[in-house]
Amino acid sequence: MSNAARSTPLVILGFDAGDPFLLREWAQRGYLPTVASIMQRGCWGKTTGPELALEHGVWHSIFSGLSRGQHGCYYLRRIKPGSYDLEIVRGSDVNAPPFWASWRDGRKRVVAVDIHDVLPTPGVAGLQLGNWGIHRGWFSRSKAEQPCSEPSDLLAEVTRKFGPPIQIIEAPQADRNKNRRILRDLLRRIERKGAICRYLVQRGVPDVVAICFGESHTAGHQFWRYRAEALPPPQQTDDAPFAEAIRHVYQAIDREMGFILAQLPPSANVFVLSSVGLADHYPTGGLLADFCQQLGYQVPAKSDRISLHPMAVARRIVPESWRVALSRHLPRETRERLLARQFRNSIDWGKTTAFAAPSPYTGFLRVNLRGREPQGIVEPGAQYEALLKRLETDLYQLIDPQTGEAAIAQVVRTAEIYGASAPAVLPDLIVHWKSCRHFVERVVHPKANLTQRKPEFFRDTDHAAHGFIAAAGPAISNSGEIADVEVLDLAPTFLALLNQTKSQEMTGKIAENIFGGVVVGHGK
């Protein structure tokens, strides 16, 4: 690259869980002029690859160039390696530093704001703000997930000038008034975040700008059911105020992105990304738990072996509806400890061959493998492989009686897509249930009827395995719609545009289709 190219800023703007099909459609219809201008000046398409098999951890892979097989992040909780304990996974727990983390020599200046789970990196020149206004599902912030910054006094400065962060949590069962408040707060937070980002950028033109808007993620889940194409005719009048809510949020983000770009040199190389899309989906976690138990994989502990801890005793005595109501008022850490205790003590590990880690949507199955689990009974090698095959066969036989079709869309072996013979951290199987617009209370297997109750967290959406990408700038030589771009190719591409070499840990390559097949820089 030329010296002029070296001084050209790289700008990465993110719609967290921005649906690629909505982004493309609304840009082409003129609702998203900033995104549309990048598509028109450069190229655009979808992101793809094994990293998009799950939503959690995608931003880690995008900015670090490391796969899940390396950083191990796949969900907000996981089985703690070497135990049967459940542990919360936070951004600080994941060893996947962003591609700018090596620039502690001050050779590049970074402005980074709210990259989900990617926390500020100490020692890097520039301004970084994390956890200020990211997407929150059904949990409020824990003590370890508070807003933070580098330098450390930046957060106080931003708070003085722009006010405190606005926390917004999904509310799947919200009434009309609460939905109005959530939409209002999302739009207000987008505007405030845009002002903060412009303020940070104006403090000196950075070499890298990386900003993500989590409001698209929250709005997508909160208002998906109200989309005009999703509404049955009788509901359209009552739900009309929210039929365009997702578009209004995307438009507000697009507007702030335009304002941010106006503060930067027109020669910047600009990327607009989304992590994953959205899909119709209802909780299926209870079905997978019943699958493991009824088909004999997961053996319940005998009643005389169940914990005598006071909370465990209360759980058996107090009606479930009361427990659910009471648990809503407990801190996240307390709820997670109770879930972990119940999970650990309710299974006879000496007789269990495979078990389901608690999760509401995508299923995670883990083999009770000798040498990996504390009381593993399945031998590595042929016995392990045979058990995986049996699990897959049983899963693909599940039928949704309401549709008469298979209930499972895909079963993924993590060893095959992430390159580990028997994963230490990742589950052995990832179970993707088929997208549908109804809550599946029962599925049928030739040997059993599997059932589930409506869970406490009851949302009608989950994620689809594609993201969005649009790129334009002096180094972006391709134009129009391009072939899908592998997620792990993004970090090497970003580094090449900055005339930097990718690290040895990065397995991706430069996304040549962005450059019309012409390889640039040193990122091979």
Side-chain angles (χ1 to χ4, degrees), residues 62-79:
I62 287 174
F63 283 97
S64 70
L66 304 181
S67 77
R68 294 182 192 281
Q70 294 166 288
H71 63 64
C73 180
Y74 65 93
Y75 187 52
L76 56 81
R77 74 171 68 89
R78 67 186 177 194
I79 303 294

Side-chain angles (χ1 to χ4, degrees), residues 365 367 383-393 411 413 415 421 428-429:
L365 289 176
V367 172
Q383 189 178 8
Y384 172 73
E385 293 295 326
L387 180 60
L388 293 180
K389 181 63 178 176
R390 180 184 157 203
L391 284 162
E392 291 168 334
T393 300
V411 181
R413 293 195 187 191
S421 57
D428 294 290
L429 297 178

Side-chain angles (χ1 to χ4, degrees), residues 7 24 26 48 100 132 225 258 278 305 315 400 413 448 523:
S7 63
R24 180 185 64 186
W26 289 336
T48 189
W100 56 78
W132 188 88
R225 76 185 73 172
L278 290 162
R305 294 177 57 192
R315 186 174 185 86
D400 178 356
R413 293 195 187 191

Side-chain angles (χ1 to χ4, degrees), residues 197-261:
C197 293
R198 294 196 300 277
Y199 170 72
L200 298 180
V201 168
Q202 289 167 356
R203 298 262 297 262
V205 178
D207 298 283
V208 175
V209 174
I211 297 167
C212 190
F213 287 85
E215 293 79 10
S216 49
H217 194 157
T218 308
H221 286 311
Q222 190 69 33
F223 301 110
W224 187 256
R225 76 185 73 172
Y226 301 116
R227 292 159 29 252
E229 58 269 34
L231 293 175
Q235 290 183 308
Q236 288 190 9
T237 300
D238 291 341
D239 295 326
F242 309 114
E244 306 297 340
I246 298 175
R247 177 165 63 79
H248 291 326
V249 169
Y250 281 33
Q251 286 178 285
I253 294 171
D254 181 90
R255 183 164 50 252
E256 295 303 327
M257 287 180 174
F259 292 154
I260 293 166
L261 291 176

Side-chain angles (χ1 to χ4, degrees), residues 292-335:
C292 289
Q293 290 187 25
Q294 289 213 43
L295 296 183
Y297 295 106
Q298 181 174 308
V299 178
K302 292 182 179 179
S303 57
D304 59 352
R305 294 177 57 192
I306 295 176
S307 172
L308 296 179
H309 188 281
M311 293 301 295
V313 174
R315 186 174 185 86
R316 296 195 297 273
I317 297 175
V318 177
E320 182 181 20
S321 59
W322 292 16
R323 296 199 311 268
V324 169
L326 290 170
S327 70
R328 292 194 184 105
H329 302 285
L330 297 175
R332 176 184 179 184
E333 285 83 355
T334 302
R335 298 174 68 172

Side-chain angles (χ1 to χ4, degrees), residues 49-296:
E51 303 310 305
L52 297 181
L54 300 163
E55 182 266 325
H56 290 270
V58 172
W59 289 115
H60 282 302
S61 294
I62 287 174
F63 283 97
S64 70
L66 304 181
S67 77
R68 294 182 192 281
Q70 294 166 288
H71 63 64
C73 180
Y74 65 93
Y75 187 52
L76 56 81
R77 74 171 68 89
R78 67 186 177 194
I79 303 294
K80 185 178 180 179
S83 76
Y84 296 116
D85 290 324
L86 300 175
E87 62 178 1
I88 301 173
V89 180
R90 303 178 180 89
S92 57
D93 300 321
V94 182
N95 185 19
F99 65 84
W100 56 78
S102 63
W103 300 342
R104 291 184 172 88
D105 56 6
R107 68 183 184 271
K108 298 287 183 184
R109 181 176 173 83
V110 176
V111 168
V113 178
D114 273 355
I115 310 301
H116 193 82
D117 282 339
V118 179
L119 300 182
T121 304
V124 174
L127 304 167
Q128 302 172 69
L129 190 63
N131 284 343
W132 188 88
I134 62 173
H135 167 69
R136 297 284 175 188
W138 62 92
F139 287 126
S140 60
R141 284 191 298 257
S142 69
K143 293 180 180 178
E145 296 168 314
Q146 297 299 314
C148 51
S149 67
E150 285 291 336
S152 58
D153 58 356
L154 176 63
L155 177 61
E157 177 186 346
V158 167
T159 301
R160 284 195 303 271
K161 290 186 69 68
F162 299 96
I166 303 171
Q167 181 173 234
I168 304 170
I169 303 174
E170 282 180 48
Q173 308 306 315
D175 59 20
R176 185 181 298 187
N177 288 334
K178 187 162 188 176
N179 272 325
R180 284 199 183 98
R181 289 195 299 272
I182 290 174
L183 180 56
R184 178 201 64 201
D185 289 345
L186 287 170
L187 296 174
R188 185 159 58 102
R189 193 170 79 180
I190 292 167
E191 185 175 1
R192 187 183 297 181
K193 184 185 292 184
I196 291 171
C197 293
R198 294 196 300 277
Y199 170 72
L200 298 180
V201 168
Q202 289 167 356
R203 298 262 297 262
V205 178
D207 298 283
V208 175
V209 174
I211 297 167
C212 190
F213 287 85
E215 293 79 10
S216 49
H217 194 157
T218 308
H221 286 311
Q222 190 69 33
F223 301 110
W224 187 256
R225 76 185 73 172
Y226 301 116
R227 292 159 29 252
E229 58 269 34
L231 293 175
Q235 290 183 308
Q236 288 190 9
T237 300
D238 291 341
D239 295 326
F242 309 114
E244 306 297 340
I246 298 175
R247 177 165 63 79
H248 291 326
V249 169
Y250 281 33
Q251 286 178 285
I253 294 171
D254 181 90
R255 183 164 50 252
E256 295 303 327
M257 287 180 174
F259 292 154
I260 293 166
L261 291 176
Q263 304 295 319
L264 293 161
S267 61
N269 290 309
V270 182
F271 286 75
V272 172
L273 300 174
S274 75
S275 49
V276 291
L278 290 162
D280 296 302
H281 210 308
Y282 283 85
T284 47
L287 292 173
L288 194 62
D290 207 31
F291 166 88
C292 289
Q293 290 187 25
Q294 289 213 43
L295 296 183

